[in-house]
């Protein structure tokens, strides 16, 4: 089938672009800058506007009310994109250095990638749906981010203890540290969720008519609320510290972008198709001239 006459066939030649060598190792630092800088900025804005108490608010509470909610969403979306890149590169790193690995390693690596994507999407959901607007979706996004992040940490940590896995660098020293951080995240999640449920059960607002704050230090249940929020901050910092351990591995990766000729280009650029395309163009022009003459 010939292409439309007004759309010329353009087929690119094979081209390889090499670069982003050791720069990939700075992605975890960029992620820390985005999440850390964004949360600190939102925290300062929320405290300045009187939207939260200064002592350990929930991370998402610092981005609930405008104008800090706009900044919160922007930084979390950018961080989620960087997180997707880190998860993808980590997956490809394991694949590249373990082409003859066992099926168990392949399953663990693939599961980690999928769960990592779920966690990154959860971060986007948290930023897009504030708890004062759509609480159920916001909580779902938080569960995806924290539970997915914790499971991802356990899966990656387990690879470090396998003797049949090659990382291209001496990663055995990170294995115990990563396992410790995975358990820390799991324990922090359990404590935070338990304390949060108890705090919401005990919560009696000091000023029921106040709409400028989610929690007030004079509310009943505020002390146990602080326990929940403190361990939520521990989870977030723990995940960032875990991803920082990827820096050495990402430094040894050489990213290549390859542009290749599409198989269809060979057919479209053949002499027979080109002649047919020219005849089709002439037929269209003749039909157009006939219509103009008849009108």
């Amino acid at each position: 089938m010939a292409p439309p006459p007004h759309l010329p066939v353009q087929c690119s030649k094979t081209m390889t672009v090499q670069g982003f060598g050791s720069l990939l190792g700075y992605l975890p630092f960029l992620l820390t800058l985005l999440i850390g800088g964004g949360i600190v900025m939102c925290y300062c804005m929320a405290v300045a506007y009187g939207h939260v108490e200064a002592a350990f608010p929930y991370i998402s509470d610092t981005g609930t009310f405008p104008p800090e909610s706009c900044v919160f969403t922007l930084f979390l979306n950018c961080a989620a994109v960087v997180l997707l890149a880190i998860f993808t590169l980590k997956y490809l790193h394991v694949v590249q250095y373990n082409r003859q690995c066992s099926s168990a390693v392949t399953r663990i690596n693939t599961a980690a990638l999928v769960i990592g994507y779920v966690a990154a999407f959860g971060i986007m959901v948290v930023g897009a749906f504030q708890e004062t607007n759509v609480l159920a979706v916001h909580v779902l996004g938080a569960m995806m981010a924290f539970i997915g992040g914790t499971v991802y940490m356990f899966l990656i940590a387990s690879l470090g203890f396998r003797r049949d896995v090659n990382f291209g660098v001496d990663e055995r020293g990170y294995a115990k540290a990563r396992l410790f951080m995975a358990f820390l995240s799991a324990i922090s999640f359990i404590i935070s969720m338990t304390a949060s449920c108890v705090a919401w059960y005990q919560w009696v607002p000091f000023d029921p008519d106040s709409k400028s704050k989610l929690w007030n230090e004079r509310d009943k249940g505020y002390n146990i609320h602080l326990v929940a929020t403190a361990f939520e901050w521990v989870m977030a910092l723990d995940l960032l510290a875990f991803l920082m351990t990827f820096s050495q591995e990402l430094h040894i990766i050489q990213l290549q972008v390859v542009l290749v000729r599409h198989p269809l280009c060979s057919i479209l650029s053949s002499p027979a198709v080109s002649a047919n395309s020219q005849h089709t163009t002439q037929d269209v022009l003749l039909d157009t001239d006939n219509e103009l003459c008849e009108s």
Side-chain angles (χ1 to χ4, degrees):
M1 179 179 296
H6 60 282
L7 294 177
V9 178
Q10 296 180 354
C11 302
S12 59
K13 297 181 179 179
T14 302
M15 180 176 64
T16 302
V17 181
Q18 297 185 2
F20 310 107
S22 60
L23 294 179
L24 296 177
Y26 295 106
L27 283 178
F29 296 94
L30 176 60
L31 178 68
T32 302
L33 180 62
L34 286 172
I35 294 182
I39 291 177
V40 169
M41 184 181 300
C42 293
Y43 170 81
C44 294
M45 294 174 65
V47 172
Y49 281 102
H51 294 160
V52 297
E53 295 290 339
F56 283 116
Y58 279 116
I59 296 176
S60 55
D61 285 356
T62 64
T64 298
F65 300 105
E68 59 267 22
S69 60
C70 305
V71 179
F72 188 77
T73 300
L74 176 63
F75 274 93
L76 283 192
N77 285 338
C78 294
V81 172
V82 177
L83 197 57
L84 288 173
I86 293 176
F87 289 151
T88 303
L89 289 171
K90 178 58 180 176
Y91 168 81
L92 295 176
H93 165 250
V94 175
V95 170
Q96 181 66 27
Y97 282 90
N98 299 273
R99 294 189 177 276
Q100 304 297 327
C101 64
S102 63
S103 59
V105 174
T106 302
R107 288 195 297 268
I108 294 174
N109 193 33
T110 304
L113 177 67
V114 174
I115 294 174
Y117 281 179
V118 171
F121 181 72
I123 291 177
M124 291 184 179
V125 172
V126 169
F129 298 89
Q130 286 76 31
E131 58 184 292
T132 53
N133 297 328
V134 192
L135 178 60
V137 180
H138 178 86
V139 173
L140 175 63
M143 295 299 101
M144 292 169 62
F146 285 120
I147 296 178
T150 301
V151 174
Y152 178 84
M153 294 166 70
F154 273 109
L155 291 174
I156 295 298
S158 66
L159 290 177
F161 288 95
R162 298 185 64 94
R163 297 297 179 183
D164 57 340
V165 179
N166 177 29
F167 295 99
V169 295
D170 185 10
E171 198 184 57
R172 306 302 175 186
Y174 290 121
K176 294 182 179 180
R178 288 175 177 172
L179 185 61
F180 170 79
M181 287 186 280
F183 274 109
L184 177 61
S185 179
I187 294 173
S188 299
F189 176 79
I190 295 173
I191 295 176
S192 179
M193 287 300 301
T194 303
S196 179
C197 293
V198 173
W200 280 105
Y201 179 78
Q202 295 180 354
W203 184 43
V204 177
F206 179 81
D207 184 7
D209 298 327
S210 176
K211 296 182 180 180
S212 61
K213 287 186 178 181
L214 300 173
W215 279 87
N216 188 292
E217 61 182 1
R218 290 174 289 186
D219 293 347
K220 186 177 180 180
Y222 181 74
N223 291 332
I224 192 68
H225 160 75
L226 287 181
V227 175
T229 57
F231 277 95
E232 184 189 61
W233 284 84
V234 171
M235 280 190 290
L237 295 175
D238 184 50
L239 177 60
L240 291 178
F242 185 91
L243 295 175
M244 290 288 286
T245 63
F246 289 176
S247 180
Q248 183 182 4
E249 302 159 26
L250 297 182
H251 268 300
I252 66 174
I253 295 179
Q254 181 71 35
L255 183 64
Q256 295 182 349
V257 180
V258 180
L259 304 178
V260 297
R261 177 188 292 268
H262 194 280
L264 185 59
C265 292
S266 302
I267 301 175
L268 295 178
S269 59
S270 63
V273 174
S274 299
N276 189 18
S277 176
Q278 293 176 1
H279 290 308
T280 303
T281 305
Q282 293 175 0
D283 293 340
V284 171
L285 293 176
L286 289 174
D287 291 341
T288 304
D289 291 340
N290 293 332
E291 292 177 0
L292 291 176
C293 292
E294 292 175 358
S295 62

